[in-house]
Amino acid sequence: MIKPTVLITGAGNGIGKATALALYAKGYKLALIDRDVASLSKLNAIGAIAVCSVTDSSALTLAIQSLETQVGPIDILVACAGVGSLTIVPDLNIPDLRQMIEVNLIGVANAIEAILPGMIERKRGHIVGIASVAGFRGLPWMISYSASKAALIAYLEGLRPGLKRRGITVTTVCPGFVRTAITQDTPFRTPVKMLTPDQAALYLVRAIERRPRDYVFPFSTRVGMTVLKIVPNRLFDWMMDRAGPRALTSEF
Ligand SMILES: NC(=O)c1ccc[n+]([C@@H]2O[C@H](COP(=O)([O-])OP(=O)(O)OC[C@H]3O[C@@H](n4cnc5c(N)ncnc54)[C@H](OP(=O)(O)O)[C@@H]3O)[C@@H](O)[C@H]2O)c1
């Protein structure tokens, strides 16, 4: 059977790169986008590549059109490009917040907007948005990142019904911690269990192939963060008040 064509944004490094390699090994045709020229160039043997920022909607649309002339219509979008950093009171770092909203929310919307007309015309497609368990609640050491991912989760949820009736599935993927550039300087007091990008990619391939509504991994994080999501607000505040100073080496 011919495998679908997958467009991955943020394919140059980390989870996006590992997912591209895993999909290539399974015979998928790939279109890859990243702003990191050096990293993306190394992947030109496994797919068509285009260097572009997801924050530039016009350039992104042109890049996707050019990729489609090389690999054909995009069946699956994996919107993986993302940025993350810590935000700890009292340094609210508004430029960082703005960048996280620009990339993690509007960048995903830009990619969806660019592939949508083709998917709607063909009456099929799959949009896989990479959010995070950090978007389940406002985490006090990644305030801005949590807000950007919570917004993305809500955005994808809102898109789902209107796209479903046009034959397009939306999957929201929420990974736990993965050892990539985003997590490398996290000042946790005790070592936090992190997946490798290759392990995360295996989960992501499963989400691409099974098309669930939501996909949270690994299992331990799914259980822990699902509990955190439903605990009463006052209990959540109490837990975070204690977790912050215990979890971080930096001042809380
Ligand atoms: N690592 C985790 O623990 C974790 C957990 C949950 C969710 N996630 C999410 O998973 C996704 C992948 O993250 P990762 O951990 O694999 O990080 P990563 O290793 O830094 O990879 C992200 C890739 O996206 C690229 N990118 C960033 N902004 C871009 C833009 N405006 N346009 C195009 N490409 C851009 C980055 O390029 P540069 O190198 O130039 O920035 C990088 O190549 C992100 O959405 C992240 O929020 C990660």
Side-chain angles (χ1 to χ4, degrees), residues 9-16 33-36 39 52-55 79-84 99 103-104 130-133 145 149 174-183 194:
T9 69
N13 295 289
I15 300 170
I33 285 179
D34 203 287
R35 66 178 177 187
D36 180 343
S39 302
C52 164
S53 172
V54 294
T55 59
C80 193
V83 288
Q99 206 212 358
V103 179
N104 299 351
I130 311 303
S132 169
V133 291
Y145 184 73
K149 293 298 188 179
C174 293
F177 283 110
V178 183
R179 196 171 299 285
T180 67
I182 284 185
T183 49
M194 293 199 199

Side-chain angles (χ1 to χ4, degrees), residues 81-105:
V83 288
S85 57
L86 298 188
T87 321
I88 301 175
V89 171
D91 182 7
L92 300 189
N93 201 335
I94 304 300
D96 259 21
L97 167 64
R98 188 168 289 119
Q99 206 212 358
M100 284 185 243
I101 297 290
E102 273 292 335
V103 179
N104 299 351
L105 176 63

Side-chain angles (χ1 to χ4, degrees), residues 51-64:
V51 176
C52 164
S53 172
V54 294
T55 59
D56 182 341
S57 64
S58 317
L60 184 61
T61 302
L62 287 176
I64 292 174

